[in-house]
Amino acid sequence: SAEAAAIVAGHLREGGHWARGAAEEALWHFPPAQTTALLRGLLGRREFVLEHPEVASRLIDRATQAGTTGLQRELGSLAPLRFRFWNPVLVRVALKARALSAR
């Protein structure tokens, strides 16, 4: 349901380490359209990616594995992070985003 999706997204944004891990896994149990909408909402929020680059990286990896499409705009907005060479985790997120959006 939409309410469950909102709860999962909330835990991904603001939950503790354990809750965030469980929410990451729960995200992939929603229907594909709902999962894509949640990914758009999360990866489209720059502050989420800056605060939780490891989570964003894992979400991009899983989106690649799941064959998720329709994230080009959100992934394109992450590409400039590749110039933040002082933060290697953000650079990896940007490179993964570029690779997925190129597909």
Side-chain angles (χ1 to χ4, degrees):
S1 72
E3 185 179 337
I7 291 169
V8 167
H11 282 296
L12 280 167
R13 284 190 308 269
E14 300 159 8
H17 180 70
W18 183 87
R20 193 174 295 123
E24 267 185 70
E25 189 55 40
L27 173 75
W28 302 102
H29 294 281
F30 288 107
Q34 200 166 23
T35 300
T36 301
L38 288 171
L39 288 172
R40 277 191 200 119
L42 292 166
L43 297 175
R45 295 181 64 173
R46 189 175 181 94
E47 63 275 0
F48 170 77
V49 175
L50 292 175
E51 288 178 27
H52 308 292
E54 297 87 5
V55 174
S57 181
R58 288 192 300 270
L59 292 176
I60 292 170
D61 286 340
R62 286 287 293 265
T64 302
Q65 292 170 0
T68 305
T69 59
L71 299 173
Q72 283 71 24
R73 188 178 74 209
E74 290 76 16
L75 296 173
S77 70
L78 298 177
L81 296 176
R82 71 185 183 276
F83 298 114
R84 294 192 176 210
F85 55 86
W86 60 89
N87 191 335
V89 178
L90 283 177
V91 172
R92 283 192 294 273
V93 168
L95 295 177
K96 287 179 183 185
R98 282 183 64 191
L100 181 57
S101 66
R103 290 182 181 192

